[in-house]
Amino acid sequence: MVATVPLFAVIIAMLRGDRSALAPVRLGGLLLGFVGVAVVVVGPGLFPHGQASIFAIGEVMLTALLYAIAPFIVAHKLAQVPSIGTITLALFATGLGYLPAALLTQHEVPTLRSTVSLVLLGVICTAVAFVAFFALIREVGPVRAPLFTYINPVVAILLGALVLAEPITPGLLMGFPLIIIGCWFAATGGRLRPRPSPPSASDVTRPDEPLPGEPARDESPSAG
């Protein structure tokens, strides 16, 4: 369900007037990647069982929507703001929000293993990941940056197999190629190389400028 983030990003881009995200090849790649994710995670846990499951699915879908909105805010509203400052403020506010629940529910001293796990989650999986995500948004834009969410289920299943000895499902073997191909089409439009950008005005040689390797012309009145 988290892999619906790129689809929400395409809808947001369309509402903002950006039609490039709706190019047939890119949109087809997004849908193909989403099909691959569905193939990977399909199973009994994918479908709701009761009102609580439906509510939980709604929460995850809301999270996916907000996750898709965030890159547009970063790219268009916070483009001139240093990413470290934005990330620090966001994580500090999140920490304050969780602090009351932590104080009310924690009744034992955390073990060394759980403390190390929390530090790793906070530093590597959150802080460093956010820095990389902000850099990715500035590099490829807010529509293509969330494509990494297609890889999340694959990484989770592989780690489950390596660390917890969970079985490799046929869905993973069939869905992983679909995810990779879909991400490639969605990110590149099916091109092996990016399109060359048109030359800017500063790159065009003016008639009175010498070509590379030619001596400068003297156009003073005394010349000639």
Side-chain angles (χ1 to χ4, degrees):
M1 289 182 289
V2 174
T4 59
V5 173
L7 298 180
F8 283 124
V10 170
I11 296 174
I12 295 170
M14 182 186 66
L15 295 177
R16 290 178 53 86
D18 181 7
R19 296 295 184 268
S20 64
L22 294 178
V25 175
R26 291 184 61 185
L27 187 59
L30 283 168
L31 296 177
L32 180 62
F34 187 69
V35 170
V37 173
V39 172
V40 168
V41 302
V42 70
L46 183 65
F47 304 100
H49 296 280
Q51 186 175 359
S53 296
I54 295 176
F55 182 75
I57 290 174
E59 289 180 318
V60 175
M61 295 300 291
L62 176 61
T63 301
L65 174 60
L66 297 178
Y67 210 159
I69 294 174
F72 288 89
I73 297 176
V74 172
H76 298 287
K77 301 297 183 181
L78 302 175
Q80 305 303 321
V81 179
S83 58
I84 293 295
T86 305
I87 295 168
T88 301
L89 182 61
L91 295 182
F92 181 73
T94 303
L96 287 180
Y98 275 110
L99 183 60
L103 295 176
L104 292 175
T105 57
Q106 182 64 41
H107 303 297
E108 299 178 0
V109 178
T111 63
L112 178 62
R113 181 178 180 180
S114 62
T115 302
V116 172
S117 299
L118 286 174
V119 171
L120 292 176
L121 284 173
V123 175
I124 297 178
C125 301
T126 305
V128 175
F130 266 125
V131 172
F133 187 45
F134 273 55
L136 182 64
I137 293 171
R138 291 188 169 93
E139 180 69 22
V140 303
V143 177
R144 289 187 290 177
L147 284 172
F148 77 91
T149 56
Y150 281 165
I151 309 298
N152 284 6
V154 178
V155 174
I157 292 176
L158 289 177
L159 288 178
L162 294 175
V163 179
L164 302 177
E166 295 178 349
I168 297 292
T169 63
L172 176 62
L173 300 178
M174 292 185 295
F176 181 69
L178 296 178
I179 294 173
I180 297 300
I181 296 172
C183 286
W184 179 66
F185 276 110
T188 67
R191 296 187 302 272
L192 294 176
R193 296 181 179 179
R195 293 177 180 175
S197 57
S200 60
S202 60
D203 295 333
V204 179
T205 303
R206 297 195 305 268
D208 57 342
E209 290 184 343
L211 294 175
E214 290 186 354
R217 293 191 294 268
D218 187 359
E219 297 183 356
S220 62
S222 59

